[in-house]
Each structure stands twice: as C-alpha cells, then as structure tokens.
Amino acid sequence: MVTIGDVASTARVSRSTASYALSGKRSVSTEVRSRVEAAVRELGYTPNAGARALATSQTHVIGLLAQFLADEFAPAMLQYMLGVSNTARELGYDILLATEEDGRNALRRMTDSRMVDGIVLLNVAEHDDRLPILRSAAQPGALVGLPADCSGVDVFDLDFEEAGRLMVEHLRTLGHRELILVSQPEHVVDRGGAYVWRLQNAAIAAARRSGVHLHAAFAPSRQPEVGRDLNALLDAHPGATGLLINNEAAAAALPSVLHERSVSAPADLSVIGRYSDEFARTFSLPYSSIESAPDRLGRMAVRELVRRIEGEVGHDDSHVVRFVTPELVDRGSTASPPEV
C-alpha cells in the first residue's frame, strides 16, 4: 500500500510537507505542491481514512441528516443535499448521509460513535427534536433552515419574510391589485415547516399595507392533485391577475395547467415562483422567481462547519445566524395587468 512517506520520497520533500500540501493546513509553495500532486498521481496514493482518524482524532466525514418527506417535493430537497455534499468534497470531507425517519436516533448514533467530525441538518422544523441532541454532542453542527431557538448551532436560511414582501411589492408596483399565493401543503406547517408561514405571513402583511387583495392557499406536493388544486384556485378567483408560487410541485405543474386553460404569462396572468435557477432549468420553467439558493446555503453551512471542525472558530465562540437576501430572477413572466 502506498503511504504518505512514499509520496514524500517521490516528491523529494519531508513527510510533513507532503501532508500539508495535500491537506492545505499550512501554506506551501506552488512548486512544492505541484511535485506532491504529481507524486500522488504517479503512485496512485489514496489517504488511509482509518490511519488519519487515529492520528488526528478526525474522520474527515460530515454527517448529513435529511429526509425525503412525502409532503415535500423531492427534487427540491435533492438540491440542498448536493450543495452540502459538493462543498464538503471541495474541502476534503466525505459525507455520511442519514435519511431514516428517526432523525434523533441517527444523530445520536453518528455523534456518540464519533463517526463524523460535524453535522449538517436539513428539513429543520421550528421546534426540531434533533436539536437538543446536537447541542449536547461533542461535534459542531450547522443548520440549513431556521428553528425557533438558534442557540448552540450555526444557522443559514433564505430570508423568507423578505421573499414574500418582494413578491407582492413587485406585482403591486406593476399595478396588480388581486393576487393568489400558493404555498406548500398545510401539514408541512403543522409539522413545523416555519418557512411556509414566514413567507405567507409576510406576503399577507405586505398586501394588506398596500391595498392588494391576496388569496392565500395551500396546495399538494404531487401530481395530479396539485394540478387540480391550481385549476380550482384559478376558477375560484377569476379576477386575480397575479400568481405567487411557494410550492415547487405547483411550479413544475403550472406550465401544463396554463396551457390547458389557454392562459399565457404575462399577457393573461403574471407569475412569480420561489425556487432555484437550476430547478427552473430542470423543469423548463419560464417564470420569474425568487432564487431559493440551495447551493449557496449548503456552501455557507459546510464552510462554517469546517471552520469550527478545524479550529478556525473556537468551540465556545458565538454562533452565527445568516440569511440569504432574496433576489428576483426576471424571466419575463410579469407585466402590468391586462386591461378589463
């Protein structure tokens, strides 16, 4: 088996210099790094994770707890997972993924056995029962999603309140006075999905302040139910000239719904969604949207977590709560309302 000593000998550097060149823990010259990387390729060297863990008390593994819940749109969740895993790989960490229903048990198993150096939580509920376990663990934790209590963990999320206000204000400025907001299923809120009501409540308040009539509704997260609900909402509110979508399944179903109704955006109906640019490309969505930034949130969470793992931020240093400012991506689906 090729060792780091073999790499060092081939590269004509010390063992510690070869290790620093590969780990990035200390600065080495570009010329030395190139020699070490060439030796790695020549010898086919792969770090021994077990030996490294014994030597450093680190596994270079990050635990990722996520679930594909039946009441949420799986492709949207996958984007958050990819943001975490891709960034971890760039920083030299592997991912240990747990998707089991009992997140508390999975988290306790990961942390008690020291299988991971840190934890990232997705599907964060307002009162998440995994958080007491994570706060008491030796390993640091980072969340993508805002709980009611952010103490003891680093938290990253989209500013959903500002997203709701931005959606309403954009259409109000164009002259719209009656809008429909379609959110995720109501039991997502019942389960603790605070991001749903954070956007919805802010949109309702913004509409009330500006004299806009907003019809707020929940919709399923799968076809054909979501398509039927979209049709029912448009039938129930024929005077609405704008549609706000905070439900990825509804956004994916909307092109076929509007086609069947011979409705076009923005000539007949202005549309703004809340999803990522990658999601829009995947489902060929032509609608303007608030960028949900799953990749960016994943990067932010992992980078801060690695800073704590590697001692750049002390264990007792203050934790951060950071929001991504929503940005409206204009795809030409909004305009002034049609004249009656």
Side-chain angles (χ1 to χ4, degrees):
M1 181 180 295
V2 179
T3 68
I4 188 67
D6 298 324
V7 171
S9 177
T10 301
R12 304 185 307 282
V13 298
S14 69
R15 186 187 184 99
S16 60
T17 298
S19 178
Y20 293 146
L22 293 176
S23 68
K25 293 289 183 64
R26 293 188 184 179
S27 176
V28 299
S29 70
T30 302
E31 188 268 335
V32 167
R33 187 181 303 278
S34 296
R35 294 210 316 264
V36 171
E37 291 174 348
V40 167
R41 291 192 297 270
E42 177 184 342
L43 300 174
Y45 171 70
T46 301
N48 185 304
R52 181 174 60 194
L54 288 173
T56 66
S57 298
Q58 290 186 347
T59 64
H60 275 243
V61 176
I62 290 173
L64 174 59
L65 273 69
Q67 291 182 340
F68 290 101
L69 299 166
D71 54 13
E72 293 183 330
F73 198 47
M77 175 53 59
L78 184 59
Q79 288 195 297
Y80 289 91
M81 295 170 66
L82 288 173
V84 170
S85 61
N86 289 342
T87 306
R89 184 176 63 249
E90 292 169 7
L91 297 178
Y93 286 76
D94 294 319
I95 288 291
L96 178 59
L97 173 64
T99 60
E100 62 195 73
E101 185 174 348
D102 187 353
R104 292 175 302 173
N105 181 59
L107 179 56
R108 189 176 289 110
R109 187 174 65 248
M110 281 185 180
T111 55
D112 288 353
S113 64
R114 300 299 179 97
M115 290 191 289
V116 299
D117 296 331
I119 296 286
V120 174
L121 293 189
L122 302 181
N123 308 97
V124 176
E126 184 179 12
H127 301 286
D128 201 299
D129 60 7
R130 298 170 297 179
L131 285 178
I133 299 170
L134 183 56
R135 292 190 184 102
S136 65
Q139 301 91 331
L143 279 57
V144 177
L146 179 69
D149 179 4
C150 297
S151 63
V153 290
D154 296 308
V155 176
F156 304 88
D157 205 2
L158 179 70
D159 188 339
F160 281 91
E161 289 91 346
E162 182 59 27
R165 290 189 287 267
L166 179 58
M167 295 168 93
V168 170
E169 183 60 24
H170 178 76
L171 292 185
R172 185 203 67 79
T173 301
L174 290 172
H176 294 265
R177 292 297 178 265
E178 185 175 357
L179 309 174
I180 300 171
L181 169 62
V182 180
S183 297
Q184 285 87 353
E186 190 167 10
H187 47 269
V188 174
V189 178
D190 296 339
R191 193 184 62 239
Y195 68 98
V196 179
W197 62 254
R198 285 165 56 201
L199 187 149
Q200 184 183 81
N201 287 359
I204 291 171
R208 186 180 299 118
R209 286 193 302 270
S210 56
V212 172
H213 190 187
L214 178 67
H215 308 281
F218 301 99
S221 58
R222 62 179 64 187
Q223 283 277 37
E225 294 89 349
V226 67
R228 289 198 294 263
D229 277 28
L230 285 172
N231 273 304
L233 283 168
L234 293 171
D235 288 340
H237 307 293
T241 58
L243 180 63
L244 311 178
I245 302 288
N246 185 29
N247 178 320
E248 290 89 350
L254 188 60
S256 60
V257 169
L258 295 188
H259 177 74
E260 291 168 2
R261 298 175 69 92
S262 298
V263 171
S264 63
D268 305 305
L269 183 72
S270 286
V271 177
I272 303 177
R274 196 277 307 162
Y275 43 76
S276 71
D277 187 61
E278 179 64 27
F279 187 90
R281 289 196 298 271
T282 298
F283 289 91
S284 300
L285 298 180
Y287 311 120
S288 298
S289 64
I290 300 295
E291 171 60 54
S292 60
D295 288 345
R296 183 178 175 189
L297 289 167
R299 286 197 304 271
M300 292 168 69
V302 172
R303 290 186 183 282
E304 189 65 22
L305 184 65
V306 169
R307 289 181 68 220
R308 289 195 182 271
I309 290 171
E310 299 187 351
E312 293 181 38
V313 179
H315 186 272
D316 296 325
D317 287 355
S318 298
H319 290 81
V320 300
V321 178
R322 293 180 183 152
F323 295 106
V324 169
T325 301
E327 298 178 5
L328 179 64
V329 180
D330 187 358
R331 298 188 181 90
S333 66
T334 65
S336 297
E339 295 182 4
V340 180

